[in-house]
Amino acid sequence: MSKSKFSFLTLIAALGAVSVVTVGVVGVVNNESLIQGAGTTTISCNYINFGTTQYTSTGVLKTASYSFSGNGFSLDSSTPFSNSDVYGNSSAGTYAARIGSSSAAGTVTFNLASPVYITSIGIDGFLYSTDSAKTASIKVTTSANTTGFSFTTTSTSETHFSDGGAFASDQATSSSFTIASQVVVRFELVKIRIETRSAAPTSSSESSASSSSSSSSSSTSIESGSTVSSSGSTSSASDISFHFLELGNAKTGDCTYIKAGTNDILIDAGSYYDSYTSISTAINQYCTDGKLEYVICTHAHTDHMAGFTHNWAKSTDTSGNGIFYNYKIGTIIDFAQANSTANIYDYYKYARSYAVSQGAVHYTALQCCNQTDGASKTYTLGTNLSMEILYQEYYASASSDENNNSVCVLFKQGTSNYFLFTGDLEAAGETSLISNNPSLPKVKLFKGAHHGSYTATSSALTAIIQPEMVAVCCCAGNTQYTSGADHVFPTQDFIDHVAPYTKAIYITTLGSFSDKSVFSSFNGQINIAYNAGVPTVACSNNNTILPLSEWFNKKGDLYDANTPNRVWPSNGVPL
Ligand SMILES: [Zn+2]
C-alpha cells in the first residue's frame, strides 16, 4: 500500500462526521462523505488509486493490499482480488480499478473488518461488453444477500452506470461484498458508496424488508441521529425516465419526453414544424393514452415551440398537426416573459388557446413560483417523486435575450436524485438561478443548457450542480447558428465546464460542418431511466460518450488536419 494512499484514507477517517471532503485532481471537485457508524461512505477509486501502485503499467496484478478504516466500521481487504484480470487502468495521471479484461471476467471482493448492516451499495463505473451478441453484466452482492443487484449491457462501447441497489436483507449483517463481472466484460470502477446503519432494524421493519427483494428498509427504521439512507428512500420512489428526442431534421432544437410515475411530461417541442411527426412517433411508445399530464415550453423560440403548433395556425383552427392539437393536455407551464414578434409565437399561442379550450390549464412559471391563480411551485408526480419550478429573476422582468426567460425545472426522486432542466438559459440567467436557489443540489442528470453553447452551462453552475450525466439536444457541428468552428454545438467551452465532473455526456444528433442539411444519429434518442433510483442509459444509436466519440476526436473537420474537433481538458475526469 502506498503511503500517499494511506495518508488520504487516514485523512478521511480523521475527518469523521465532516460531511464534505473535497479532494483530487486539480479542477476535479469530488464531494464525498463519511458518516460515523451508520451513514454513507464513498470510496473514490480515482483518488485512492487502486491502480497506481498496486499494478504494473501493463496491468498485471502486482500487489493488492490496502486497508480502510472509518468510524464505526472498517473495510479491510488484504486479498481483495480473486482474479488476475483485475488491473489498474493505466491512463495518465489517475486510475480506476478495472475488473475483467477483454477476454476474462473478474471478481473483486471487499472484506469488512466488522460486520455492518448494509442498506445499499452504490457503484459508479463504466461497463463494456466485448461481444455484442452477449449480455455483459456486473453483479454486486453481499455475504448477506447473494442476489444483490446487477447492471447489464450488450454495448461494446462504454456504458456508464452510477449509483446502485438497495439490499433487502440489510437486517442481516454482512462481512463482505463482491463485485463480479460476467460473460466477457470489462468494468472500470470509479467509485463505491456504501450505506450502512449501525443497529439492527426493528422486528416490524425486518418483516417488511424481507417481504420484498427489491425494496430496502424504510427510512423510518433507521436510527434517529443517523443519516437517512438516500438510496433506501430513492429505491422506494416512483420510477422516472428521460428521453431526449431526435427531431427529424438537421436543425438544433429541444424536446424531452419524461415518464414520471404514471405521468407523461413533455418539455419543449422543437425544432421545426415538421418535427411533430418524429416527436409523436417517439412519445407514443411511452404515452399510450394520448394524454400529456404536463407540458412545459421553456421560451419563445422556434426550436423549442414549433412542434406544439403548425405553420399558418389560426385562432380559428380546431385541428392540425401539433402537440397541442393532437394530444389531450393536462397542465401547461410556460415562460412568463417573451419579446418575440415572430409568427411562430402567434402560432404557439393559437395552439395553446386551443388546448385550453379543450380543458388544459395554463400557468406561467411566475404564477407557479408565486403559487397564484391555482398554480403550484411543486407538483407531485408519484411516490417521493416531484417536479419543482425554480425561480429566476427573468420570470418577473423580461431579459432582452429570450433565452434567459427560460423556465427552469428540477425533478426530485427520493431524497437524493435530482434532475435539472434550464432550457436555453444563458450565463446571466444561471447567475440569477443560483442566487435565487441557494440550496441548488448536485444533480444526477443535467440537460446541457442552450444546446451546448459557449454562452450557457457556466462553470459557476456546474461547480454547484456537479452533474453525473449530461444530455445535449443539438445537431453537432451544424452551422445553423454560426459559421465559426468554435461556436458550433457542442462547444469547447461547454465541454470544459462539464468535464471536471463527468465524462458521461450524450448528444442526440450529428450534423455536418460543410453541409448544414445533413444529419444522422449521434447517440440518437437519449434514454436515461432511474428505476428504484438506479440509472440505465440506453440510447437508440449507441452509448458512446462524447469525449470518446468519432466526431469529438475527428481531425480536419472543424479545424485543420492536425486539430481535433474538441479536446478533453487536462482537469477533466479521467477518460
Ligand atoms: Zn434553443
Side-chain angles (χ1 to χ4, degrees):
M1 179 173 70
S2 74
K3 287 209 165 188
S4 60
K5 179 176 63 187
F6 178 81
S7 299
F8 167 63
L9 294 171
T10 305
L11 171 64
I12 289 185
L15 286 168
V18 174
S19 61
V20 177
V21 182
T22 301
V23 294
V25 179
V26 173
V28 177
V29 179
N30 202 24
N31 293 333
E32 315 296 1
S33 61
L34 178 71
I35 311 298
Q36 289 193 24
T40 301
T41 294
T42 301
I43 306 169
S44 174
C45 303
N46 283 335
Y47 306 120
I48 67 171
N49 292 331
F50 278 90
T52 312
T53 56
Q54 293 95 328
Y55 306 98
T56 69
S57 60
T58 57
V60 176
L61 188 64
K62 188 175 179 182
T63 62
S65 175
Y66 70 96
S67 63
F68 173 80
S69 295
N71 292 318
F73 86 96
S74 63
L75 173 66
D76 187 357
S77 52
S78 57
T79 55
F81 304 115
S82 62
N83 188 302
S84 61
D85 287 308
V86 178
Y87 58 94
N89 179 4
S90 55
S91 58
T94 56
Y95 296 77
R98 181 173 291 182
I99 303 169
S101 72
S102 60
S103 59
T107 299
V108 57
T109 300
F110 298 85
N111 297 312
L112 306 170
S114 301
V116 294
Y117 294 90
I118 294 178
T119 57
S120 74
I121 295 175
I123 59 175
D124 184 319
F126 289 83
L127 176 67
Y128 309 70
S129 172
T130 53
D131 181 349
S132 60
K134 298 177 181 176
T135 299
S137 67
I138 57 145
K139 188 173 182 182
V140 184
T141 60
T142 71
S143 51
N145 183 338
T146 56
T147 301
F149 62 88
S150 61
F151 295 124
T152 62
T153 188
T154 56
S155 174
T156 54
S157 302
E158 63 181 6
T159 302
H160 179 238
F161 294 102
S162 66
D163 220 314
F167 284 86
S169 65
D170 76 317
Q171 67 271 29
T173 56
S174 287
S175 58
S176 66
F177 68 93
T178 297
I179 303 173
S181 58
Q182 297 165 342
V183 191
V184 278
V185 66
R186 198 178 83 217
F187 177 66
E188 290 185 8
L189 179 63
V190 177
K191 191 187 297 181
I192 306 169
R193 190 195 70 250
I194 312 167
E195 295 184 2
T196 65
R197 64 177 167 205
S198 57
T202 63
S203 56
S204 61
S205 68
E206 266 184 313
S207 58
S208 71
S210 61
S211 67
S212 168
S213 61
S214 61
S215 65
S216 73
S217 56
S218 70
S219 59
T220 54
S221 67
I222 294 175
E223 287 190 314
S224 61
S226 69
T227 298
V228 172
S229 166
S230 56
S231 273
S233 298
T234 303
S235 68
S236 62
S238 298
D239 294 340
I240 189 168
S241 62
F242 302 90
H243 309 269
F244 302 87
L245 307 189
E246 294 189 277
L247 296 168
N249 56 48
K251 298 179 186 299
T252 280
D254 268 17
C255 185
T256 308
Y257 167 80
I258 300 164
K259 188 78 169 184
T262 58
N263 292 286
D264 299 286
I265 303 170
L266 197 66
I267 301 182
D268 288 336
S271 57
Y272 210 63
Y273 301 106
D274 63 358
S275 294
Y276 171 76
T277 302
S278 297
I279 293 170
S280 61
T281 300
I283 68 178
N284 287 348
Q285 296 176 44
Y286 309 97
C287 174
T288 55
D289 62 358
K291 179 171 183 181
L292 297 168
E293 276 74 17
Y294 297 94
V295 167
I296 294 166
C297 183
T298 60
H299 65 292
H301 272 158
T302 303
D303 62 312
H304 296 254
M305 59 169 46
F308 289 122
T309 183
H310 61 85
N311 207 353
W312 306 113
K314 298 287 189 292
S315 62
T316 53
D317 276 349
T318 57
S319 64
N321 282 335
I323 293 294
F324 283 149
Y325 294 110
N326 297 65
Y327 289 82
K328 294 177 207 153
I329 309 294
T331 300
I332 301 167
I333 299 169
D334 62 11
F335 41 90
Q337 306 293 337
N339 311 304
S340 177
T341 57
N343 288 338
I344 178 64
Y345 186 32
D346 286 335
Y347 301 155
Y348 170 82
K349 286 187 285 190
Y350 292 146
R352 186 182 65 194
S353 294
Y354 175 76
V356 170
S357 76
Q358 300 302 301
V361 294
H362 168 225
Y363 303 120
T364 66
L366 186 62
Q367 286 174 302
C368 289
C369 289
N370 290 337
Q371 301 183 74
T372 54
D373 307 308
S376 298
K377 183 164 171 42
T378 301
Y379 290 88
T380 299
L381 303 173
T383 304
N384 295 320
L385 185 67
S386 64
M387 171 178 79
E388 179 183 3
I389 309 301
L390 300 181
Y391 181 76
Q392 51 101 349
E393 68 186 78
Y394 299 113
Y395 297 167
S397 62
S399 168
S400 57
D401 183 337
E402 198 80 88
N403 289 336
N404 278 327
N405 299 320
S406 290
V407 179
C408 300
V409 186
L410 183 70
F411 294 88
K412 182 180 182 183
Q413 182 191 44
T415 57
S416 61
N417 279 6
Y418 292 92
F419 317 94
L420 180 63
F421 290 72
T422 61
D424 279 358
L425 202 66
E426 307 278 11
E430 291 174 350
T431 298
S432 181
L433 181 70
I434 292 167
S435 64
N436 283 289
N437 297 274
S439 53
L440 202 59
K442 289 196 282 188
V443 301
K444 299 293 181 185
L445 174 65
F446 177 57
K447 186 203 74 76
H450 194 188
H451 319 289
S453 168
Y454 74 102
T455 58
T457 312
S458 62
S459 56
L461 180 64
T462 56
I464 292 170
I465 65 172
Q466 301 186 21
E468 286 189 5
M469 284 192 256
V470 179
V472 182
C473 301
C474 74
C475 192
N478 187 294
T479 57
Q480 178 185 2
Y481 293 113
T482 177
S483 59
D486 290 352
H487 292 168
V488 297
F489 304 140
T491 61
Q492 185 65 50
D493 296 77
F494 158 78
I495 292 160
D496 289 347
H497 296 164
V498 167
Y501 310 102
T502 185
K503 60 182 177 180
I505 305 167
Y506 302 96
I507 307 287
T508 53
T509 310
L510 175 64
S512 164
F513 190 57
S514 57
D515 183 349
K516 69 165 78 172
S517 69
V518 170
F519 70 99
S520 60
S521 293
F522 202 112
N523 293 117
Q525 181 174 313
I526 303 166
N527 304 301
I528 305 176
Y530 292 80
N531 297 334
V534 180
T536 303
V537 179
C539 303
S540 64
N541 189 37
N542 62 57
N543 290 343
T544 304
I545 59 174
L546 176 63
L548 299 181
S549 69
E550 181 182 352
W551 179 84
F552 189 94
N553 296 291
K554 191 175 179 182
K555 296 176 180 175
D557 183 23
L558 302 188
Y559 303 103
D560 63 37
N562 299 315
T563 308
N565 283 345
R566 298 293 179 242
V567 176
W568 195 246
S570 59
N571 68 344
V573 298
L575 294 179

